[in-house]
Coordinates of all heavy atoms in Angstrom, one line a residue:
V21 N 88.4 103.6 82.2 CA 89.1 104.8 81.6 C 90.6 104.5 81.6 O 91.3 104.8 80.7 CB 88.8 106.1 82.4 CG1 89.7 107.2 82.0 CG2 87.3 106.5 82.2
R28 N 94.9 103.4 74.0 CA 95.1 104.5 73.1 C 96.6 104.9 73.0 O 97.1 105.3 72.0 CB 94.3 105.7 73.4 CG 92.8 105.5 73.4 CD 92.2 105.5 72.0 NE 90.8 105.0 72.0 CZ 89.7 105.8 72.1 NH1 89.9 107.1 72.2 NH2 88.5 105.3 72.1
L39 N 96.7 101.9 93.5 CA 97.0 102.0 94.9 C 96.5 100.8 95.7 O 97.1 100.4 96.7 CB 96.4 103.3 95.5 CG 96.8 104.6 94.8 CD1 96.3 105.8 95.5 CD2 98.3 104.8 94.7
F55 N 94.2 86.8 95.2 CA 94.6 88.1 94.9 C 94.1 88.6 93.5 O 93.5 89.7 93.4 CB 96.2 88.2 94.9 CG 96.8 89.5 94.4 CD1 96.3 90.7 94.9 CD2 97.8 89.6 93.5 CE1 96.8 91.9 94.5 CE2 98.4 90.8 93.1 CZ 97.8 92.0 93.6
L59 N 91.4 91.7 92.5 CA 91.7 92.8 91.6 C 90.6 93.0 90.5 O 90.5 94.1 89.9 CB 93.0 92.5 90.8 CG 94.3 92.7 91.6 CD1 95.5 92.3 90.8 CD2 94.5 94.1 92.1
D60 N 89.9 91.9 90.2 CA 89.0 92.0 89.0 C 87.7 92.7 89.4 O 87.5 93.2 90.5 CB 88.8 90.7 88.3 CG 87.9 89.7 89.2 OD1 87.1 90.2 89.9 OD2 88.1 88.5 89.0
A61 N 86.8 92.9 88.3 CA 85.6 93.7 88.5 C 84.4 92.9 89.0 O 83.3 93.4 89.1 CB 85.2 94.4 87.2
D63 N 82.2 90.5 91.8 CA 81.6 90.7 93.2 C 82.5 90.2 94.3 O 82.3 90.6 95.5 CB 80.3 90.0 93.3 CG 79.2 90.9 93.4 OD1 79.4 92.2 93.2 OD2 78.0 90.5 93.8
H67 N 82.9 91.3 99.0 CA 82.7 90.6 100.3 C 83.7 91.0 101.4 O 83.5 90.8 102.6 CB 82.8 89.0 100.1 CG 81.8 88.5 99.2 ND1 80.4 88.5 99.4 CD2 81.9 87.9 97.9 CE1 79.8 88.0 98.4 NE2 80.6 87.7 97.5
Y68 N 84.8 91.5 100.9 CA 86.0 91.8 101.8 C 86.2 93.3 101.9 O 87.1 93.8 102.6 CB 87.2 91.1 101.3 CG 87.0 89.6 101.1 CD1 86.8 89.1 99.8 CD2 87.0 88.8 102.2 CE1 86.6 87.7 99.7 CE2 86.7 87.5 102.1 CZ 86.5 86.9 100.8 OH 86.3 85.6 100.7
R69 N 85.4 94.1 101.1 CA 85.7 95.6 101.0 C 85.8 96.3 102.4 O 86.7 97.0 102.7 CB 84.7 96.3 100.1 CG 85.1 97.7 99.8 CD 84.1 98.4 98.9 NE 84.2 97.9 97.5 CZ 85.0 98.4 96.6 NH1 85.8 99.4 96.9 NH2 85.0 97.9 95.3
M72 N 88.9 95.2 104.2 CA 90.1 95.7 103.5 C 90.3 97.2 103.7 O 91.4 97.7 103.9 CB 90.0 95.5 102.0 CG 90.3 94.1 101.5 SD 90.7 94.0 99.8 CE 89.1 94.4 99.0
I73 N 89.2 97.9 103.8 CA 89.3 99.4 104.0 C 89.9 99.6 105.4 O 90.8 100.4 105.6 CB 87.9 100.1 103.9 CG1 87.4 100.1 102.4 CG2 87.9 101.5 104.4 CD1 86.0 100.6 102.2
E78 N 94.5 101.3 108.8 CA 95.4 101.1 109.9 C 96.8 101.5 109.4 O 97.6 102.1 110.1 CB 95.4 99.6 110.3 CG 94.4 99.4 111.4 CD 94.3 97.9 111.8 OE1 95.4 97.2 111.6 OE2 93.3 97.5 112.2
N81 N 97.1 105.3 108.4 CA 97.1 106.2 109.6 C 98.6 106.3 110.1 O 98.9 107.4 110.6 CB 96.2 105.7 110.7 CG 94.8 105.9 110.3 OD1 94.4 106.7 109.4 ND2 93.9 105.2 111.0
P84 N 100.6 107.9 105.6 CA 99.6 108.2 104.5 C 100.1 108.0 103.1 O 99.3 107.7 102.2 CB 99.2 109.7 104.7 CG 99.6 110.0 106.1 CD 100.8 109.1 106.4
L90 N 104.4 102.3 97.4 CA 104.5 100.9 97.0 C 103.9 100.7 95.6 O 104.5 99.9 94.8 CB 103.6 100.0 98.0 CG 104.3 99.6 99.3 CD1 103.4 98.6 100.0 CD2 105.7 99.0 99.1
A91 N 102.8 101.4 95.3 CA 102.2 101.2 94.0 C 103.1 101.7 92.8 O 103.0 101.2 91.7 CB 100.9 101.9 93.9
T123 N 101.5 116.0 87.3 CA 100.2 115.3 87.7 C 99.0 115.9 87.0 O 98.9 117.2 86.9 CB 100.0 115.4 89.2 OG1 101.0 114.5 89.8 CG2 98.6 114.9 89.6
R135 N 75.5 103.6 87.4 CA 76.4 102.8 88.3 C 75.6 101.6 88.8 O 76.2 100.5 88.9 CB 76.8 103.7 89.4 CG 77.8 104.8 89.0 CD 78.1 105.8 90.1 NE 78.6 105.2 91.3 CZ 78.3 105.6 92.6 NH1 77.5 106.5 92.8 NH2 78.9 105.0 93.5
E137 N 73.3 100.0 87.2 CA 73.2 99.1 86.0 C 74.6 98.3 85.9 O 74.6 97.2 85.5 CB 73.0 99.8 84.7 CG 71.5 100.2 84.5 CD 71.4 101.3 83.4 OE1 72.3 101.5 82.6 OE2 70.4 101.9 83.4
E152 N 85.1 106.3 99.8 CA 84.4 106.7 98.7 C 84.1 108.2 98.6 O 83.8 108.7 97.5 CB 83.0 105.9 98.6 CG 83.1 104.5 98.3 CD 83.8 104.2 97.0 OE1 83.5 104.8 96.0 OE2 84.7 103.3 97.0
G154 N 86.2 110.7 100.2 CA 87.4 111.5 100.6 C 87.8 112.6 99.6 O 88.4 113.5 100.0
D162 N 91.7 118.7 87.1 CA 92.2 119.1 85.7 C 91.2 118.7 84.7 O 91.0 119.5 83.7 CB 93.6 118.6 85.4 CG 94.6 119.1 86.4 OD1 94.7 120.3 86.6 OD2 95.2 118.3 87.1
N168 N 78.7 108.2 81.5 CA 77.5 107.4 81.5 C 77.4 106.4 80.3 O 76.7 105.4 80.3 CB 76.3 108.3 81.4 CG 76.1 109.0 82.7 OD1 76.1 108.4 83.8 ND2 75.8 110.3 82.7
L179 N 90.1 115.3 74.9 CA 90.9 116.4 75.4 C 92.0 116.0 76.4 O 93.1 116.5 76.4 CB 89.9 117.4 76.2 CG 88.9 118.1 75.3 CD1 88.0 119.0 76.2 CD2 89.5 118.9 74.2
L180 N 91.6 115.0 77.3 CA 92.6 114.5 78.2 C 93.8 113.9 77.5 O 95.0 114.1 77.7 CB 91.9 113.5 79.1 CG 92.8 112.6 80.0 CD1 93.7 113.5 81.0 CD2 92.0 111.6 80.8
L188 N 104.1 114.5 76.0 CA 105.0 113.5 75.4 C 105.8 114.1 74.2 O 106.8 113.5 73.8 CB 104.2 112.3 74.9 CG 103.6 111.4 75.9 CD1 102.7 110.3 75.3 CD2 104.6 110.8 76.9

Side-chain angles (χ1 to χ4, degrees):
V21 169
R28 300 281 171 92
L39 302 184
F55 176 46
L59 286 178
D60 71 27
D63 246 12
H67 300 295
Y68 306 102
R69 187 179 288 274
M72 280 198 294
I73 292 173
E78 272 175 26
N81 290 341
L90 280 186
T123 291
R135 292 169 59 217
E137 280 162 21
E152 290 301 315
D162 297 304
N168 287 316
L179 295 177
L180 168 61
L188 292 176

